[in-house]
Amino acid sequence: MDAGECSTSQPPRPSSAPGSSPASASAAWAKLVPTDPAYPEVEVAEDDAVVCSLVAPAAGGEEVAWCEIRRNGGDVSSATIRNLSSDAIIVDGTIVKQEAADIKPGSEIVSGPQKEGHLVYTFEITPSKDQDKNNVKAILQAFSSLQRSDEEIALLESYASVKSNIVLGKQKNQSRKRPFSRSSDEINNADLPCPQCRTEFGGFRCSPGAAHLQCNGCGGMMPARSNVNIPQKCLGCDKAFCGSYWCSQGVNSSHCNLICSQETFKMISQRHISRLPDTVHGGNPYEKDITEKCIQQSGKTLQAVISEWISKFDNMEIDRSRLQLNNVDAITSTTYICNHCYNKFIDFLLYWYRVSIPRNLLPPDAVNRESCWYGFMCRTQHHRPDHAKKLNHVCRPTRGNP
């Protein structure tokens, strides 16, 4: 499914229409981020934009115009939303019919009159390149009056180049032949901005020299703390993610721009899935289609199927050797993992779901297919559609790699 479109001058066209484009000609200034990672973000690319996107998982991929989001003049931290649908929507827990409502970064927007059966979005402001550039300049100016070591200056330059692609010729020490680098665990609170270095949140403020972690999602910093209930690193990839930690501390994007959505890193059991990721079965669309048909024929929802197999996973009823994550023996339904690792986890569960289905219960077009010698490790399935369709690849390899 393509990302939603925005338009102010004419009704939005379906994203598959000839000549349509997935984004406006102007740069996006805001976006709606779905709480379900299976659905795409919706960019808002005009000052006065009609949002056209999927509003219900069961809508069959149909995108409709359901709201209008308008920036509040020069205030880049707030906006107004107006309901355009024939039914109500919910904004931060309040029913909105045809009137307008104020929204801010972090606002929760339900695309219908109730959460059940409708997509839920989080409103976020997208910083422009000029804003990023100004933020970086402000950081460098704040430290320019201090005596900084070559190593600290190099780290600041690295951060600036990643965040805004600025060439910082004057700050760079041309005599140094190798760039200095160190792990995020070793970075102290003076190197990069961290909200709790400046202000106390959740009863905690960083002490001088406290160790910090750099978020793999947004690049922002957070204190490295082992005595908090919310994990700060994904057990599946060992990368740090800040969304859930800052939520637990009562910090949101109004306090600091460099904060991820809580949906990027959360507990497996707290996640909801209503659509198969495109990456399932190694990205083989024919196998994905067969699995979707099997679930439909079972009369169960995708979430119900996943929940059943999560229980089997917790009960050690599944061979975990094929799960391509770190710390596989320690992962349970209460484990916090990132979106990327969650998609891998779903792929793993649906592999076992498929291999457990008796051949006679497969869709007619899949019953008589022979299994590929190389199974799920086959590389040919990714560049030869006829091979991907002709043979079953949801199986273990019986020969080496092709």
Side-chain angles (χ1 to χ4, degrees):
M1 181 177 65
D2 295 331
E5 297 178 338
C6 296
S7 174
T8 58
S9 59
Q10 60 183 2
R13 296 174 294 179
S15 58
S16 59
S20 65
S21 60
S24 171
S26 60
W29 64 272
K31 60 183 177 180
L32 297 180
V33 180
T35 56
D36 187 337
Y39 294 90
E41 297 178 350
V42 182
E43 291 190 339
V44 182
E46 299 286 349
D47 287 345
D48 185 3
V50 173
V51 174
C52 180
S53 71
L54 190 68
V55 299
E62 180 182 0
E63 297 181 357
V64 298
W66 59 278
C67 73
E68 177 188 64
I69 296 179
R70 176 181 298 177
R71 182 163 24 191
N72 283 340
D75 184 3
V76 297
S77 64
S78 64
T80 300
I81 185 171
R82 184 165 61 89
N83 180 19
L84 300 180
S85 68
S86 58
D87 210 333
I89 63 175
I90 303 175
V91 178
D92 289 331
T94 301
I95 296 291
V96 175
K97 294 185 179 179
Q98 300 302 319
E99 69 273 22
D102 291 331
I103 54 175
K104 59 184 183 300
S107 288
E108 181 186 78
I109 303 170
V110 183
S111 59
Q114 66 275 328
K115 285 190 176 182
E116 185 66 30
H118 292 86
L119 293 181
V120 180
Y121 294 92
T122 300
F123 177 70
E124 293 186 4
I125 299 294
T126 304
S128 66
K129 291 183 178 180
D130 288 340
Q131 288 175 315
D132 282 338
K133 183 175 181 179
N134 291 335
N135 289 341
V136 172
K137 284 185 176 179
I139 294 170
L140 293 176
Q141 289 172 358
F143 291 102
S144 62
S145 60
L146 302 176
Q147 293 296 323
R148 314 305 296 175
S149 68
D150 285 352
E151 295 177 348
E152 291 171 323
I153 291 175
L155 189 62
L156 281 170
E157 293 172 358
S158 174
Y159 172 72
S161 64
V162 169
K163 286 299 167 189
S164 60
N165 296 321
I166 302 174
V167 177
L168 302 174
K170 291 185 179 180
Q171 292 285 341
K172 188 174 181 180
N173 186 339
Q174 298 294 344
S175 64
R176 185 165 49 247
K177 295 182 179 179
R178 291 187 302 168
F180 172 81
S181 64
R182 53 180 167 173
S183 68
S184 59
D185 292 321
E186 297 174 318
I187 299 174
N188 66 42
N189 62 345
D191 291 317
L192 294 173
C194 162
Q196 283 180 313
C197 285
R198 304 186 300 270
T199 308
E200 180 178 309
F201 290 104
F204 177 84
R205 182 171 180 171
C206 301
S207 58
H212 280 66
L213 298 172
Q214 185 167 24
C215 176
N216 190 72
C218 67
M221 303 301 295
M222 62 179 166
R225 301 176 63 187
S226 59
N227 59 342
V228 289
N229 295 328
I230 301 296
Q232 295 175 286
K233 287 188 175 183
C234 172
L235 201 62
C237 62
D238 295 320
K239 296 178 181 178
F241 292 89
C242 71
S244 293
Y245 171 75
W246 288 127
C247 181
S248 72
Q249 301 295 295
V251 181
N252 56 48
S253 56
S254 66
H255 300 106
C256 179
N257 289 332
L258 298 179
I259 290 180
C260 284
S261 164
Q262 187 182 4
E263 302 302 319
T264 61
F265 181 59
K266 62 193 300 186
M267 193 184 298
I268 290 175
S269 62
Q270 294 176 340
R271 292 176 176 269
H272 180 83
I273 183 169
S274 55
R275 194 185 74 137
L276 291 182
D278 291 335
T279 54
V280 74
H281 301 317
N284 186 323
Y286 301 100
E287 301 298 357
K288 175 187 173 184
D289 181 63
I290 291 170
T291 297
E292 285 180 327
K293 290 178 179 177
C294 289
I295 293 173
Q296 292 170 359
Q297 291 174 3
S298 72
K300 300 176 182 178
T301 64
L302 173 59
Q303 181 62 51
V305 170
I306 294 300
S307 296
E308 288 180 7
W309 284 88
I310 288 178
S311 296
K312 295 177 185 291
F313 181 85
D314 277 349
N315 295 331
M316 297 293 183
E317 299 176 25
I318 309 174
D319 177 10
R320 300 189 176 199
S321 61
R322 191 177 168 270
L323 180 56
Q324 300 299 306
L325 298 179
N326 299 336
N327 310 298
V328 292
D329 292 332
I331 294 176
T332 69
S333 59
T334 60
T335 299
Y336 279 74
I337 59 176
C338 66
N339 290 344
H340 183 67
C341 289
Y342 180 68
N343 283 342
K344 286 186 176 181
F345 183 67
I346 293 300
D347 186 21
F348 167 79
L349 295 181
L350 290 176
Y351 168 84
W352 284 109
Y353 168 74
R354 270 285 300 278
V355 299
S356 71
I357 298 175
R359 179 181 286 270
N360 64 310
L361 295 182
L362 292 173
D365 56 344
V367 171
N368 297 319
R369 292 194 311 167
E370 295 183 0
S371 293
C372 175
W373 288 338
Y374 306 102
F376 58 78
M377 296 181 67
C378 175
R379 295 194 294 263
T380 306
Q381 64 175 316
H382 302 303
H383 59 82
R384 279 187 50 192
D386 58 331
H387 177 84
K389 183 177 182 179
K390 180 181 178 180
L391 299 177
N392 169 44
H393 290 89
V394 186
C395 58
R396 289 188 180 276
T398 56
R399 293 194 181 184
N401 288 343

